Amino acid sequence: MIRNGSIANIAEFIVFNDGIVAVSMSTDDAEAFLQDIYAFLVSEFAFREFTSGVKKINLSSVVVDFETSLNGFIRARNTDSDLIGRHLNSIDDTDFPVELARVDFLLNKDPEFRPPNVPRLTIEKRANTQFSQHRYFSSAPIHTASHLEILERIESGLTKGKS
């Protein structure tokens, strides 16, 4: 598919009895593809128009290399991370530094009840990478552009806090 003058690859297109899924490099490309498919089905196969609202769900997955570690999130809590490190190192009598490996943001819809599908943004250490690489995997149920904006803001805050 051609979008904005360049090829927008669709890695997967899946049809379910209650919805359709498109997987691409960005949520904008996937959404444009789904709109094209729908318009094609309506014009060429007399597919009926939607009579009720369409629920769209995005999932953006990104591998991000930050300039520094996620430890900036806990920088003000150094004594707590030192305590955690002492206890974790005591298991095997080691002396490794503590590294924040996952940050998980979710909506607190109700303090007493959290349904399993609460929207959340996660950033976690990328598997099989060295801590010095600062490579993370992040996912969020939002548009890719918004996801990247959040990650850029987080990196900016981590970098400012480091200096």
Side-chain angles (χ1 to χ4, degrees):
M1 178 178 112
I2 304 295
R3 184 171 171 274
N4 296 333
S6 62
I7 295 175
N9 291 318
I10 303 302
E12 292 182 58
F13 175 57
I14 307 163
V15 178
F16 296 99
N17 63 349
D18 62 348
I20 56 178
V21 174
V23 177
S24 185
M25 292 294 289
S26 80
T27 54
D28 289 339
D29 289 349
E31 192 167 316
F33 172 77
L34 291 175
Q35 289 171 353
D36 282 354
I37 286 290
Y38 179 68
F40 173 75
L41 291 172
V42 168
S43 70
E44 299 299 317
F45 295 99
F47 196 76
R48 70 174 175 83
E49 297 280 342
F50 290 122
T51 56
S52 61
V54 175
K55 182 172 183 175
K56 295 179 184 179
I57 301 173
N58 292 298
L59 178 61
S60 173
S61 299
V62 176
V63 174
V64 58
D65 287 319
F66 289 140
E67 289 183 31
T68 187
S69 95
L70 282 178
N71 281 352
F73 276 111
I74 58 171
R75 189 168 289 112
R77 309 287 303 187
N78 275 343
T79 57
D80 294 337
S81 61
D82 290 345
L83 177 65
I84 292 166
R86 280 197 308 277
H87 286 293
L88 292 176
N89 277 302
S90 72
I91 296 167
D92 290 321
D93 195 28
T94 56
D95 190 28
F96 296 114
V98 171
E99 190 75 29
L100 187 61
R102 181 181 171 102
V103 177
D104 194 343
F105 301 93
L106 67 123
L107 295 178
N108 185 355
K109 290 185 173 182
D110 179 348
E112 302 300 319
F113 175 71
R114 287 182 173 70
N117 59 349
V118 175
R120 65 188 332 135
L121 182 144
T122 61
I123 305 169
E124 58 189 312
K125 188 71 183 133
R126 180 69 189 241
N128 300 316
T129 61
Q130 296 177 342
F131 276 103
S132 61
Q133 199 170 5
H134 311 305
R135 178 167 286 172
Y136 301 91
F137 174 80
S138 180
S139 68
I142 57 178
H143 282 275
T144 304
S146 300
H147 192 183
L148 293 174
E149 177 186 359
I150 290 168
L151 294 172
E152 287 170 2
R153 175 75 62 92
I154 288 171
E155 181 177 32
S156 175
L158 292 172
T159 306
K160 284 180 189 170
K162 186 179 177 187
S163 45

